[in-house]
């Protein structure tokens, strides 16, 4: 977070209850207002703040619940809104349990040969006990564009969310196969 006004909001939140609402911007804007935000976001607890040399900050968060913006209370920075919390649907069926296993197996394959996935990420993934949160965590670490991430966030049906994330996992696996093939071809050329 680099914008001084946003850093100030983070400081106020940390000095308060630590809870903050996060909504993705529809498009980059230096001074956004509430109209520039997607309507569905997530409330999060700030668990750690790290000061950066340029005056900005990095924050580590724990997401708690999805919300939908219902009413604008302050349209400018700091943006404040009344929200409705969204509950996960269809999160305890046998299909969801099977999808959870499938996602973890597929992600294990991706993470074994990928230096971008740390051991800590792998441990976090298997220690999450909520199927919807597993899908959310995986979508946050995969290389998918912001609109697709927003689509995952807006999917409150856990089974559908997991199916969507499984498609992204399969795309990542295909990308890794191509990357490995290209790397092997380049290594062969270098050896020659």
């Amino acid at each position: 977070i680099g914008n001084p006004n946003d850093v100030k909001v983070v400081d106020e939140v940390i000095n308060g209850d630590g809870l903050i609402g996060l909504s993705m911007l529809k498009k980059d804007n230096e001074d956004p207002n509430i109209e520039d935000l997607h309507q569905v976001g997530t409330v999060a607890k700030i668990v750690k703040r790290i000061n950066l040399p340029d005056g900005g900050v990095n924050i580590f968060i724990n997401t708690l619940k999805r919300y939908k913006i219902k009413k604008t209370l302050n349209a400018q920075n700091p943006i404040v809104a009344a929200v409705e919390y969204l509950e996960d649907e269809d999160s305890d069926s046998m299909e969801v349990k099977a999808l959870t296993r499938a996602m973890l197996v597929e992600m294990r394959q991706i993470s074994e040969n990928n230096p971008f996935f740390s051991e800590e990420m792998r441990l976090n993934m298997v220690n999450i006990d909520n199927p919807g949160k597993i899908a959310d965590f995986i979508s946050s670490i995969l290389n998918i564009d912001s609109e697709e991430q927003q689509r995952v966030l807006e999917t409150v049906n856990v089974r559908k969310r997991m199916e969507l994330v499984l498609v992204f996992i399969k795309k990542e696996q295909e990308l890794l196969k191509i990357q490995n093939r290209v790397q092997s071809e380049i290594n062969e050329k270098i050896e020659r």
Side-chain angles (χ1 to χ4, degrees), residues 43-165:
V43 65
K45 174 93 172 161
I46 298 175
V47 293
K48 189 173 184 180
R49 177 189 194 272
I50 298 175
N51 293 325
L52 300 175
D54 65 0
V57 296
N58 274 349
I59 59 172
F60 293 85
I61 60 167
N62 182 23
T63 59
L64 302 174
K65 203 172 227 13
R66 287 166 165 69
Y67 64 77
K68 183 172 186 166
I69 296 173
K70 285 299 188 185
K71 182 180 177 185
T72 302
L73 302 177
N74 188 34
Q76 299 292 328
N77 199 335
I79 297 171
V80 181
V83 299
E84 168 191 4
Y85 293 108
L86 305 174
E87 298 297 330
D88 280 349
E89 301 169 357
D90 189 22
S91 62
D92 198 29
S93 67
M94 289 303 276
E95 275 184 323
V96 167
K97 288 177 181 156
L99 285 165
T100 302
R101 284 186 183 175
M103 285 175 53
L104 291 174
V105 167
E106 300 292 340
M107 282 304 294
R108 194 170 300 124
Q109 288 176 352
I110 289 175
S111 66
E112 282 175 355
N113 299 317
N114 192 329
F116 294 116
F117 293 97
S118 67
E119 188 60 32
E120 185 179 355
M121 279 184 181
R122 286 193 267 288
L123 285 172
N124 281 339
M125 196 168 40
V126 296
N127 287 324
I128 299 171
D129 62 355
N130 177 306
K133 286 242 183 217
I134 291 170
D136 295 339
F137 179 75
I138 290 172
S139 68
S140 75
I141 62 175
L142 289 175
N143 187 23
I144 58 178
D145 67 42
S146 59
E147 288 304 314
E148 295 293 356
Q149 287 178 337
Q150 183 66 33
R151 203 167 119 211
V152 170
L153 187 65
E154 292 177 3
T155 306
V156 293
N157 182 292
V158 174
R159 184 183 52 78
K160 289 179 182 173
R161 189 183 326 151
M162 294 178 94
E163 290 170 351
L164 183 60
V165 173

